């Protein structure tokens, strides 16, 4: 059973460009979460999605950031008009449908560098 | 609020000694408390977790204790080894399913 797959692992963008990060959850997992980790800092919650639904986007910046988890295909985190402060590791995690909170399984992360 | 406070931010111990990391929370709806280990450049991985109906859980050299009244929980690592060196994150969860993480503790085990 493959783990959570993220790509690209490394992405370099110039200021003003768009960054698109992809995440395929583990097989059988219907919940996807995105976290941002700045250098030497903790994991900050961004958004929680289920198929075709954004459940909680309380951690998403109000501008330039969007996320989706379509019926078919991976979850996408999109950052428009990137700025240097967007440079970070973006981790995706997934969990199975469950009646209680439980373990999140993390991918290896996508490391965005904005020049 | 939903934040989690984690202390200390860095911890250096001699190999073989014990390490203790403590977290506090304020949201009484919290009912799930996992601990993750993150090695440099790697993904966070669950090492142990505890639910609110249990006060203590142990797995070999690792244990977690929970005090729901005081709203704090702790990670205990005994007989530390150099390979325990990493960043450790506590987190809290509730019926919203998302996890809110502490700021992390960088543990260094000196050989």
């Amino acid at each position: 059973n493959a783990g959570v797959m993220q790509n690209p692992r490394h992405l370099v963008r110039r200021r003003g460009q768009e960054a698109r990060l992809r995440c395929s959850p583990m097989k059988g997992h219907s919940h996807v979460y995105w976290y941002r980790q700045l250098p030497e800092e903790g994991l900050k919650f961004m958004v929680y999605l289920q198929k075709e639904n954004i459940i909680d986007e309380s951690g998403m910046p109000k501008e330039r950031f969007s996320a989706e988890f379509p019926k078919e295909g991976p979850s996408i985190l999109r950052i428009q008009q990137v700025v240097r402060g967007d440079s970070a590791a973006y981790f995706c995690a997934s969990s199975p449908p469950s009646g209680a909170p439980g373990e999140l399984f993390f991918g290896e992360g996508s490391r965005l560098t904005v020049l | 609020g939903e934040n989690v406070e984690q202390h200390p931010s860095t911890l250096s111990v001699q190999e073989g000694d014990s390490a203790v990391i403590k977290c506090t929370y304020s949201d009484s709806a919290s009912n799930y408390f996992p601990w993750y280990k993150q090695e440099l450049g790697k993904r966070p991985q669950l090492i142990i977790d505890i639910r609110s109906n249990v006060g203590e859980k142990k797995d070999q050299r690792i244990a977690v204790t929970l005090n729901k009244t005081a709203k704090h929980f702790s990670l205990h690592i005994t007989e530390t080894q150099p390979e325990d060196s990493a960043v450790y994150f506590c987190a809290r969860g509730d019926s919203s399913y998302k996890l809110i993480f502490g700021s992390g503790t960088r543990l260094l085990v000196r050989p």
Side-chain angles (χ1 to χ4, degrees), chain B residues 4-6 21-24 34-36 73 88-92 100-104:
Chain B
V4 181
E5 300 292 326
Q6 182 171 346
I21 304 169
K22 186 173 177 179
C23 288
T24 60
W35 287 87
Y36 282 76
F73 56 111
Y88 291 81
F89 293 97
C90 64
R92 57 158 285 276
I100 301 300
F101 285 84
S103 53

Side-chain angles (χ1 to χ4, degrees), chain B residues 85-103:
Chain B
S85 296
V87 179
Y88 291 81
F89 293 97
C90 64
R92 57 158 285 276
D94 55 32
S95 57
S96 71
Y97 293 99
K98 71 186 184 193
L99 294 181
I100 301 300
F101 285 84
S103 53

Side-chain angles (χ1 to χ4, degrees), chain B residues 43-61:
Chain B
R43 62 189 172 97
Q45 290 188 278
L46 180 76
I47 55 171
I48 195 167
D49 58 8
I50 193 169
R51 297 193 183 271
S52 57
N53 57 349
V54 176
E56 184 174 0
K57 185 176 178 181
K58 191 172 181 180
D59 183 4
Q60 299 182 359
R61 297 186 297 108

Side-chain angles (χ1 to χ4, degrees), chain A residues 8-65:
Chain A
R9 293 291 310 280
H10 300 274
L11 182 63
V12 178
R13 285 287 179 265
R14 296 191 181 281
R15 282 178 295 169
Q17 291 184 320
E18 177 179 292
R20 197 173 282 240
L21 311 177
R22 287 174 291 277
C23 170
S24 295
M26 287 180 69
K27 187 176 181 180
H29 288 194
S30 56
H31 300 200
V32 167
Y33 312 78
W34 285 93
Y35 287 81
R36 176 163 64 177
Q37 187 174 38
L38 295 170
E40 304 296 317
E41 293 192 11
L43 296 152
K44 299 296 185 187
F45 169 77
M46 300 181 75
V47 62
Y48 160 39
L49 310 104
Q50 295 179 20
K51 284 284 186 183
E52 300 184 281
N53 278 306
I54 297 175
I55 307 301
D56 184 339
E57 57 182 347
S58 58
M60 288 279 270
K62 295 200 181 330
E63 297 177 346
R64 301 187 298 107
F65 285 72

